[in-house]
Amino acid sequence: MTDDEKKKKEIHDKVGALHLRLLDDEANYHDIIGHMAYYRKDNEHYSEDLLNALRDGLENHERYLNLQNALSPRCIKIVKRPEGEKYSAADTEGAYQIVFHFDDDSERIIHFSRKSEQLLYMLMVMCNFKNGYITEFLHKPKEEEFEDQTYEQYLEQYNHNVEVIGKLAKMVYPRSNVKGLLRDLDNDSGFTDILQKLRASLSKNLEKANQKEEKQWFFPLDRKYDNERNYQLQIAPANIILPNEMIDLISQLPDAKDYIDLIEGGTIADENDFIDGLISIAMEDGDTRSMNMLGDAYLNGWHRVADLQKAFHWFKMSAEAGDAHGLYMMGVFYGTGDCVEQDYKIAIQYFKKAAADEHDEALYWLGKFSMHGFGCKKDWKKALSYFTKASELGNAEAATEAGYLLSNGGYGLEKDEEDAFEYFLEAADLDHPEAMRYVIRAYREGIVEDEDDDLDYWISRSEDLDIPENNAQIGLMMYEDENYEEAVNYLFNAFQGGMFSVCPLLSTMHFKGEGVEVNPHLAMCFLRDGAKGGDETSMNRLKLLFPDEWARLEPEIKASVNYRELLLELVGALTPEGNQEYFLKLIDAYREKFMDNTYIQEINRQLSIHRPSTDDGGNGDGQRRIVVRHAPGKNVGYEIVVVLANGTEVVVNSINDNSLMIYLLAIICSYKSGYTSDMAKSADCQPVIADLYKRVIPNAKDSEARYFIENFLDPDSRNNYYKQYSYRATQAITKAVGVNDEPTYYQFDSKVLKNRKVVRRMLIDIHHIELPSELMELAQVMPDAMDILYQSEKQEVME
């Protein structure tokens, strides 16, 4: 076999192995391909940007799972300052410094603005060895909050935590009174404010080091566990370097999950004890169930970091003991080429041994191998036999495949619509969406007789699943029956789920007013979205009905279609030579992390936010904008829309009136260097803010505007509402942006000035902020933030 033939065989085998995993999960796979295909092309470097996004997604996800973290130079170091180096009691760093080591082997000492920030970050770094840092660590308990003996347990744990973290604080700040620092870290005290300042300090340090792309690895990640806040770093413990004296303290820190368990009053088995117990039972008793549980734990990262080699080890032991699930999993490993050299014939041997013990998944995959000709000749008659046996054991996928084979016929199997329907009906009864669509179509088209209103029954069951393809099918049926109002709801749900083929019909309905009010603009929008999504009918109608819009979008749409065709070729193993390396990496990574949806999210996130090489002169802002517009029909006068780097428009919901006001102030004041909370005390600003308040909240009284200014904008007010509602605004933005972009671009950026005065402004450029004319007028008459600070401090302010 020549080298060229070997290369082609390698590609064929890898794509075949990928398809084995994808056949049960086509939605996720199509999600990736969809992002690749519809990724916004706006310069000649599209291919380069796309492949870079894929590369970053692969690398980031692998590091996130700690699979390659130890190989990456990225790490966090806490180092003792040199002996003899003098520092004062006011020195923020104290006796230790935090150093970031980046992927390019550069390093930077991280400077925080307050001691409590550095102490909190050190704690988060150390607690990463124990599942992260819980905000409840330093919350002083009140007896009325607890029942029975829980309070005594909590109080004992709290006192222990204060002692241990007090040792750390005294170690870092030997010349300081540490009681105030510990009080700041109570989540009912200054924790939220300290955390916000910590993140701002990290942002500045990374920006100064030209390492903004490294941000996610060094920022604390906010997780929830039993509704409690758990802050973790994405960087692995293997990439954290601590002095020995701090390592000794780690053993005294409580485990995050155990601590939450203590607060909740429930019981959670210690994960280490759980795994160690399984290992003991598996080794001493030869228990195959324990072996399989260990294999699943390492395969999926349950209770342990995902480790394919260890998963393979335990499944192999189970298989050698004759266990059906172990034998099946060995077939999977040989079929996909994970941990072993890929060999379909060996995979078939393992599947057959498991199938002999009535393992339904093994029977299903034997059917798949025969159906597609993996390691054997294509034989649909034999595949049907395997699918039939698996379906008898309750496997919905197998029943669906059996229906598919019989409804099409071929490769030694005769077509039989009647038997096909019975298999589809069996799978539909197990809520298989594809089978359900076939059953609905069969009753609708009279392939089988509808005796007892079966069609209505299956439409109702399908509606509960909320599957885009099913919604499109039902919407089309409703339209044919002239039930337009129901039709438009189903079709719109299908469109939101990514079914661009329904766009022409939705456009027609808005043109004619079928089930909706006549709206030519929306009709054009549906055709535009459908065209961007690659729907040919939408393209043709957009070209015919809206030639100006088509002329504007034609280059982008044609490029999108061309690249979609290219990517479909990738899926078919017709990869262009220059892209083979990255595509094979994509396949390998997907095979290894098939069960982990965070991989899908990371790839999609990278494809969504990766900035084109030449866009905006290479500054990375992409198409990001903040748009403030009127919100008719709502209780407030305006709504905020963020336009993401990929061009997607997202309305910021879940934001209350007070948070909206604070966010709008930061936006309009970005034209004047930002908003400082001292503006609430300025006689020049208060009328402008009051005017804004009455525009945002129609029919508001003057007294309500004054109350807002005095209580919600002044950080010195006893209620401290400003921190609370500015934080809620930040949370609303984060929720709106999701994983599709970096939320920090649309949030407040804190710039610390003299005497710890802070100016809030938007990180996004003011040229990318769109305001209605009346709000622009307010922005123009608003005093400059720096002037207000100068007046309040009576001193020069550092620029």
Side-chain angles (χ1 to χ4, degrees):
M1 185 181 294
T2 66
D3 290 343
D4 187 52
E5 289 172 337
K6 288 180 180 178
K7 186 68 175 178
K8 287 182 179 178
K9 183 179 185 302
E10 178 190 2
I11 295 175
H12 176 270
D13 289 347
K14 287 199 172 191
V15 173
L18 174 67
H19 285 171
L20 289 180
R21 293 290 190 114
L22 295 176
L23 290 168
D24 269 349
D25 194 29
E26 292 186 12
N28 275 341
Y29 181 58
H30 289 161
D31 198 20
I32 290 182
I33 297 301
H35 274 76
M36 294 168 71
Y38 309 137
Y39 177 62
R40 304 287 293 221
K41 175 193 175 297
D42 39 25
N43 66 70
E44 59 184 346
H45 297 277
Y46 171 83
S47 294
E48 175 189 344
D49 297 327
L50 178 59
L51 295 176
N52 285 339
L54 288 177
R55 179 203 64 208
D56 291 349
L58 297 177
E59 292 176 357
N60 288 351
H61 181 75
E62 286 164 354
R63 290 172 184 151
Y64 175 72
L65 288 181
N66 303 332
L67 297 178
Q68 293 186 355
N69 239 62
L71 302 178
S72 169
R74 181 192 300 115
C75 68
I76 299 173
K77 304 176 184 178
I78 299 179
V79 296
K80 195 164 187 176
R81 292 173 71 169
E83 293 290 338
E85 184 174 316
K86 294 183 179 181
Y87 54 90
S88 67
D91 196 320
T92 303
E93 294 172 354
Y96 293 83
Q97 291 177 324
I98 296 174
V99 179
F100 286 176
H101 190 110
F102 302 111
D103 260 359
D104 61 4
D105 281 329
S106 64
E107 288 191 345
R108 181 176 181 82
I109 297 173
I110 304 303
H111 301 284
F112 293 94
S113 60
R114 297 176 65 173
K115 294 178 184 178
S116 50
E117 292 175 46
Q118 173 155 310
L119 182 63
L120 176 59
Y121 193 74
M122 285 183 172
L123 269 172
M124 288 180 172
V125 171
M126 294 168 66
C127 288
N128 230 44
F129 289 89
K130 293 214 167 177
N131 299 312
Y133 176 88
I134 300 294
T135 56
E136 297 285 341
F137 272 0
L138 289 175
H139 172 54
K140 191 168 185 178
K142 299 174 183 177
E143 191 166 3
E144 59 268 22
E145 297 174 352
F146 300 88
E147 298 178 1
D148 303 327
Q149 302 300 313
T150 311
Y151 171 71
E152 297 298 330
Q153 288 179 276
Y154 188 101
L155 183 61
E156 182 180 350
Q157 183 67 64
Y158 167 76
N159 290 330
H160 170 79
N161 294 346
V162 169
E163 181 182 354
V164 174
I165 300 173
K167 289 179 184 178
L168 173 65
K170 205 64 183 173
M171 186 185 298
V172 178
Y173 302 110
R175 300 180 182 180
S176 301
N177 183 338
V178 301
K179 287 185 179 180
L181 293 177
L182 301 184
R183 186 172 58 250
D184 279 348
L185 300 186
D186 182 349
N187 67 306
D188 279 353
S189 181
F191 177 83
T192 300
D193 185 47
I194 297 302
L195 181 66
Q196 289 178 322
K197 287 180 169 61
L198 179 156
R199 285 172 166 160
S201 294
L202 290 176
S203 289
K204 290 177 187 174
N205 279 276
L206 292 174
E207 188 169 350
K208 287 179 180 178
N210 294 318
Q211 295 286 353
K212 287 195 294 185
E213 70 276 6
E214 295 282 288
K215 174 179 173 179
Q216 64 175 358
W217 303 105
F218 299 104
F219 265 58
L221 184 68
D222 182 1
R223 297 185 180 279
K224 268 193 174 183
Y225 189 92
D226 286 347
N227 293 320
E228 299 293 340
R229 293 291 180 186
N230 181 13
Y231 290 89
Q232 294 178 306
L233 300 171
Q234 292 202 22
I235 202 162
N239 287 25
I240 293 173
I241 300 173
L242 304 176
N244 289 331
E245 59 270 26
M246 289 190 185
I247 294 176
D248 292 339
L249 284 179
I250 289 176
S251 62
Q252 301 175 48
L253 289 170
D255 183 274
K257 291 185 178 178
D258 290 346
Y259 194 73
I260 289 176
D261 174 42
L262 173 67
I263 298 171
E264 295 296 324
T267 56
I268 299 177
D270 184 87
E271 294 181 350
N272 291 323
D273 290 346
F274 175 72
I275 294 292
D276 292 342
L278 284 179
I279 292 174
S280 177
I281 295 172
M283 296 298 293
E284 294 176 10
D285 301 339
D287 181 59
T288 57
R289 182 172 176 272
S290 298
M291 295 174 190
N292 291 331
M293 290 176 69
L294 285 164
D296 286 333
Y298 282 112
L299 179 67
N300 300 304
W302 299 334
H303 310 292
R304 282 290 194 272
V305 172
D307 190 323
L308 286 177
Q309 291 291 346
K310 289 181 179 179
F312 177 80
H313 165 77
W314 288 111
F315 285 130
K316 185 178 180 182
M317 284 187 64
S318 173
E320 289 172 348
D323 182 83
H325 187 66
L327 290 164
Y328 160 70
M329 287 305 301
M330 290 302 292
V332 170
F333 276 103
Y334 276 99
T336 61
D338 293 334
C339 303
V340 292
E341 185 175 349
Q342 189 179 46
D343 192 319
Y344 293 141
K345 292 183 179 179
I346 295 178
I348 289 173
Q349 292 174 11
Y350 276 111
F351 285 145
K352 284 184 175 178
K353 289 178 181 179
D357 202 14
E358 295 191 335
H359 193 286
D360 67 293
E361 289 291 328
L363 287 163
Y364 169 73
W365 283 111
L366 283 170
K368 279 293 188 184
F369 274 51
S370 296
M371 181 179 177
H372 293 282
F374 291 128
C376 60
K377 183 181 177 181
K378 273 190 182 182
D379 187 333
W380 282 18
K381 194 171 184 180
K382 185 182 287 187
L384 177 63
S385 174
Y386 287 126
F387 288 141
T388 299
K389 292 175 182 176
S391 67
E392 289 172 354
L393 296 171
N395 191 306
E397 287 288 348
T400 302
E401 295 294 357
Y404 172 82
L405 294 179
L406 285 165
S407 64
N408 287 275
Y411 299 102
L413 183 68
E414 292 185 7
K415 184 176 180 178
D416 189 329
E417 288 277 11
E418 189 174 333
D419 282 354
F421 176 78
E422 293 301 323
Y423 280 111
F424 280 124
L425 188 63
E426 179 183 333
D429 203 38
L430 295 170
D431 283 341
H432 192 285
E434 183 183 343
M436 205 171 283
R437 290 197 297 276
Y438 181 90
V439 169
I440 291 173
R441 183 172 66 84
Y443 281 122
R444 172 80 173 183
E445 296 179 1
I447 296 173
V448 292
E449 188 176 348
D450 184 1
E451 297 179 347
D452 301 308
D453 295 325
D454 293 311
L455 177 59
D456 292 338
Y457 168 76
W458 285 110
I459 287 176
S460 177
R461 278 194 59 170
S462 178
E463 183 179 357
D464 292 339
L465 296 180
D466 195 26
I467 304 296
E469 292 83 355
N470 292 28
N471 286 332
Q473 179 192 38
I474 298 171
L476 182 58
M477 289 166 46
M478 297 290 185
Y479 183 82
E480 291 173 350
D481 293 340
E482 299 185 2
N483 186 355
Y484 297 133
E485 290 185 2
E486 288 289 332
V488 77
N489 290 330
Y490 282 109
L491 293 170
F492 185 73
N493 288 338
F495 163 72
Q496 287 191 313
M499 291 289 294
F500 296 106
S501 59
V502 304
C503 289
L505 183 52
L506 281 169
S507 176
T508 298
M509 295 178 77
H510 283 80
F511 260 129
K512 295 181 177 180
E514 295 173 332
V516 292
E517 292 183 7
V518 173
N519 191 326
H521 176 71
L522 272 181
M524 183 273 290
C525 289
F526 279 118
L527 290 181
R528 180 193 62 198
D529 291 340
K532 285 184 177 182
D535 179 67
E536 291 187 12
T537 304
S538 296
M539 292 181 205
N540 293 332
R541 291 188 184 178
L542 185 66
K543 187 188 307 184
L544 178 66
L545 300 174
F546 300 97
D548 291 342
E549 183 70 7
W550 169 258
R552 186 177 72 83
L553 295 175
E554 183 179 13
E556 175 187 342
I557 292 173
K558 283 190 173 181
S560 175
V561 172
N562 291 338
Y563 281 102
R564 185 173 65 258
E565 291 173 353
L566 168 64
L567 293 164
L568 291 175
E569 287 182 355
L570 298 181
V571 181
L574 300 175
T575 315
E577 190 69 31
N579 296 345
Q580 283 182 0
E581 178 187 353
Y582 286 121
F583 184 62
L584 293 180
K585 281 185 178 181
L586 175 64
I587 291 174
D588 285 336
Y590 194 95
R591 286 193 298 115
E592 292 173 8
K593 302 161 189 71
F594 173 74
M595 295 298 291
D596 186 356
N597 194 48
T598 59
Y599 169 70
I600 307 295
Q601 293 173 355
E602 177 60 27
I603 287 290
N604 290 346
R605 193 178 77 89
Q606 289 293 335
L607 291 172
S608 295
I609 71 175
H610 222 273
R611 267 77 67 189
S613 301
T614 60
D615 189 34
D616 287 342
N619 68 7
D621 285 340
Q623 304 181 55
R624 294 188 179 93
R625 296 197 315 280
I626 297 176
V627 180
V628 180
R629 65 190 184 193
H630 294 280
K634 294 189 176 182
N635 295 327
V636 292
Y638 300 93
E639 66 181 5
I640 296 172
V641 178
V642 292
V643 182
L644 308 184
N646 64 0
T648 302
E649 295 186 1
V650 182
V651 178
V652 179
N653 295 314
S654 306
I655 185 168
N656 59 37
D657 297 353
N658 296 320
S659 297
L660 177 63
M661 268 293 301
I662 292 173
Y663 190 62
L664 283 173
L665 269 176
I667 290 174
I668 68 172
C669 289
S670 285
Y671 289 88
K672 294 286 185 78
S673 72
Y675 171 84
T676 171
S677 49
D678 279 326
M679 285 181 166
K681 305 173 185 176
S682 167
D684 293 332
C685 291
Q686 288 182 355
V688 183
I689 298 173
D691 190 349
L692 174 64
Y693 185 87
K694 287 185 282 187
R695 291 178 185 274
V696 173
I697 304 173
N699 303 318
K701 299 176 181 177
D702 291 341
S703 59
E704 293 172 331
R706 284 197 304 273
Y707 182 82
F708 172 81
I709 294 170
E710 293 169 2
N711 290 275
F712 288 84
L713 296 183
D714 184 356
D716 296 332
S717 68
R718 60 186 181 86
N719 294 319
N720 203 14
Y721 285 141
Y722 181 81
K723 293 179 183 178
Q724 177 183 349
Y725 286 96
S726 63
Y727 176 71
R728 288 188 182 181
T730 298
Q731 292 295 95
I733 295 296
T734 302
K735 183 178 179 181
V737 174
V739 299
N740 300 314
D741 203 341
E742 295 289 355
T744 50
Y745 280 98
Y746 310 94
Q747 296 171 356
F748 308 129
D749 178 42
S750 303
K751 183 176 182 180
V752 180
L753 305 168
K754 275 189 176 181
N755 289 349
R756 296 179 182 171
K757 292 294 180 181
V758 175
V759 164
R760 303 277 189 184
R761 63 179 181 83
M762 310 309 298
L763 184 60
I764 202 164
D765 192 282
I766 60 169
H767 296 99
H768 296 159
I769 295 175
E770 298 179 11
L771 296 177
S773 58
E774 68 274 13
L775 294 191
M776 181 60 76
E777 291 173 2
L778 291 182
Q780 291 170 348
V781 299
M782 198 73 168
D784 187 275
M786 298 297 181
D787 293 341
I788 299 295
L789 272 179
Y790 179 75
Q791 294 169 14
S792 63
E793 294 299 324
K794 302 300 182 185
Q795 63 183 16
E796 183 182 356
V797 177
M798 290 170 51
E799 290 289 346

